[in-house]
Amino acid sequence: MNSVFSAFSAFKNPAVLRQDVLASLVVFLVALPLCVGVAVASGVPAELGLITGIVGGIVVGLMPGSTMQVSGPAAGLTVLVFEAVREFGLGMLGAIVLATGLIQVVLGIVRFGRWFRAISVSVVQGMLAGIGLVLIFGQLYTMAGVKQPRSGLDKIFGVPGLAADIATSGAALTAFAVGLGTIAVLVGWKKLPAKARLVPAPLAAVVLATAVSAGFGLDVAHVEVQGLFDAIQPPGLNDLTALGGAGVLGTILAFALIASAESLFSAAAVDRMHDGPRTHYDKELIAQGVGNTICGVLGALPMTAVIVRSSANVQAGARTTLSRVLHGVWLLVFCVALPKAIGLIPLAALAGVLVHAGCKLIPAKDMVPLWRTHRGEAVILAVTALAIVTTSMFEGVVLGLVLAVVKSAWETSHVHVDVRELTGGRMVVALTGNATFLRLPRILEALEALPKDRPIELDLSDVRHLDHACRTALENWAARHNDAGTEPVRMRGPAGGGAAGGADGSAAGDADREEGAMSSAGLAR
């Protein structure tokens, strides 16, 4: 209810109300071409993207969670939605999104939202980079009016053939030129004077492309319009009963993971842009779940919080949640009053907008600094992105998460082996740190290099963690290392005080106090 009160509190202050209304118009102008473009790229009617934008603005905008971030269809889910529609059909999309929303609501209720902040940033960046690559190479075909290949690799390897088609076909060249012109406007818009930049770049690029296409009578494909209410396709009973399939469940989990992670990471980024109330992650996850549940009932696209719209909202001076709610109202008014205007937009222009958006998803500037400071994170990012391109979204993200967990386990399992030689030939081997199976090969390599004809004590007193695999391996090594005529290896510490042969470890303490020179060397790290 706090979000509702925040929205209506703007009416009490004319200055705040004016600022929120102006901000909502800016967000509306940014969201309009993106909603349509994401829908078309996802292989669904354009109106379904607008429906998701309307729900994200009006419904999610009134719910507690985040104050400034704006929700709607996102480029980050385009590839996954396209694959889901192609594999299961448009009718199943609503059922999948509905199930995704319910999962998000449950996760928010059990206070799981905060745990999404524990997902490795490199995995998220790799996910977005992979999406960006697939989006770029896929939309290049749409820019030329050519059918996209099915897999990510085929899209990449098919670029030479695409270039040949553009060079030999007048229609493909014309459409591709419209797309390139759209990208040029998007890239160059930020260099214009501040007054000109009051118009959002995506809107300006699409409007200019539409005007040029209509003015010169260019033979290019346009967005197909059905009408807002005609496009609504609620899932049927057969669609709901098909949710138990393994492939569908995997898609639902991928939707839930990616949509939730993208929304909550976006919330963290938006919180750094303003001084207002911070995001409550669990409530925001519930709000996203409710929005996706409603979108599923309407058969629309899934939603996430979108950083492009959210940053536009903050930069436009929004003060309360009213701005994001009103942006949804303006989308609804536009769809009802001017639905035919959507049909004037060239598909190549929308593809150009999404190619530009895909490029922004790739953290090219961050890769070199990341490689210099955290090479493991850079590898995770690159592997996640390549896996998404070569396999699928779900498999790529899972691989990235597995690599991040393995990397974390490897880095926390530091262990140091220190060998001290006492007078009289006795040797003390001290382990410090975390002894886990990940470091076991190097530990055993150091221990097996020790002489077998000397009294040895293995001191584990300073080991912070000793897993079962390491404990068993060390006990086996201690029992078998020394020759038959030599005193058995003694162990002291968490692996059980006493020698491998059954003696206690008291003699080791006496040995530590023996006079003589001692030398130490770290044999493993």
Side-chain angles (χ1 to χ4, degrees), residues 26-396:
V26 172
V27 179
F28 158 69
L29 295 175
V30 172
L32 178 61
L34 291 177
C35 287
V36 176
V38 169
V40 173
S42 301
V44 304
E47 290 85 351
L48 296 185
L50 291 167
I51 292 171
T52 299
I54 293 168
V55 174
I58 298 176
V59 177
V60 178
L62 287 172
M63 297 191 67
S66 177
T67 303
M68 295 298 175
Q69 78 171 356
V70 183
S71 300
L77 286 173
T78 300
V79 177
L80 191 59
V81 173
F82 183 83
E83 292 176 354
V85 171
R86 184 179 60 191
E87 184 172 356
F88 306 114
L90 182 58
M92 277 295 297
L93 178 62
I96 292 172
V97 176
L98 171 61
T100 299
L102 293 176
I103 290 175
Q104 288 180 301
V105 171
V106 172
L107 292 176
I109 291 175
V110 300
R111 302 175 63 82
F112 199 76
R114 69 189 71 179
W115 290 103
F116 276 93
R117 291 183 289 178
I119 296 177
S120 169
V121 175
S122 295
V123 175
V124 176
Q125 288 182 320
M127 173 193 74
L128 295 176
I131 294 169
L133 289 172
V134 177
L135 196 59
I136 291 168
F137 286 103
Q139 292 306 303
L140 287 176
Y141 293 87
T142 303
M143 280 175 56
V146 178
K147 185 179 179 181
Q148 295 185 28
R150 297 195 62 172
S151 71
L153 282 178
D154 288 340
K155 292 174 183 177
I156 295 174
F157 293 143
V159 169
L162 173 64
D165 290 340
I166 295 172
T168 57
S169 170
L173 180 60
T174 300
F176 199 76
V178 172
L180 285 180
T182 304
I183 296 174
V185 173
L186 290 168
V187 173
W189 197 253
K190 59 184 177 182
K191 299 179 181 179
L192 296 179
K195 290 185 178 180
R197 286 187 279 110
L198 291 176
V199 179
L203 180 71
V206 171
V207 169
L208 288 174
T210 302
V212 170
S213 175
F216 288 92
L218 301 181
D219 184 18
V220 294
H222 293 79
V223 178
E224 296 181 3
V225 180
Q226 298 182 14
L228 188 65
F229 298 104
D230 293 335
I232 295 176
Q233 298 183 19
L237 183 60
N238 292 336
D239 299 322
L240 295 175
T241 55
L243 290 176
V248 178
L249 288 176
T251 300
I252 292 171
L253 291 176
F255 269 61
L257 172 63
I258 295 169
S260 301
E262 188 170 342
S263 294
L264 298 183
F265 272 100
S266 172
V270 173
D271 281 349
R272 292 193 291 267
M273 298 178 186
H274 65 89
D275 298 325
R278 306 293 92 181
T279 297
H280 189 293
Y281 286 86
D282 295 318
K283 292 181 179 179
E284 179 63 20
L285 189 55
I286 293 174
Q288 294 293 326
V290 171
N292 273 319
T293 301
I294 295 175
C295 288
V297 171
L298 298 175
L301 289 175
M303 75 167 57
T304 72
V306 187
I307 190 65
V308 176
R309 283 164 241 186
S310 303
S311 59
N313 189 38
V314 175
Q315 293 167 6
R319 304 285 293 278
T320 71
T321 58
L322 179 64
S323 61
R324 60 181 189 169
V325 175
L326 284 179
H327 118 273
V329 173
W330 305 143
L331 286 174
L332 177 60
V333 171
F334 177 85
C335 292
V336 173
L338 300 169
K340 297 299 181 182
I342 302 174
L344 299 175
I345 302 175
L347 286 177
L350 294 177
V353 171
L354 290 174
V355 167
H356 183 260
C359 291
K360 292 169 68 175
L361 291 175
I362 302 174
K365 295 181 180 179
D366 298 332
M367 283 301 295
V368 173
L370 187 63
W371 177 256
R372 290 173 178 171
T373 56
H374 302 285
R375 292 192 175 184
E377 297 295 331
V379 170
I380 292 173
L381 190 158
V383 170
T384 302
L386 292 176
I388 289 174
V389 173
T390 56
T391 57
S392 68
M393 176 76 66
F394 182 71
E395 293 172 350

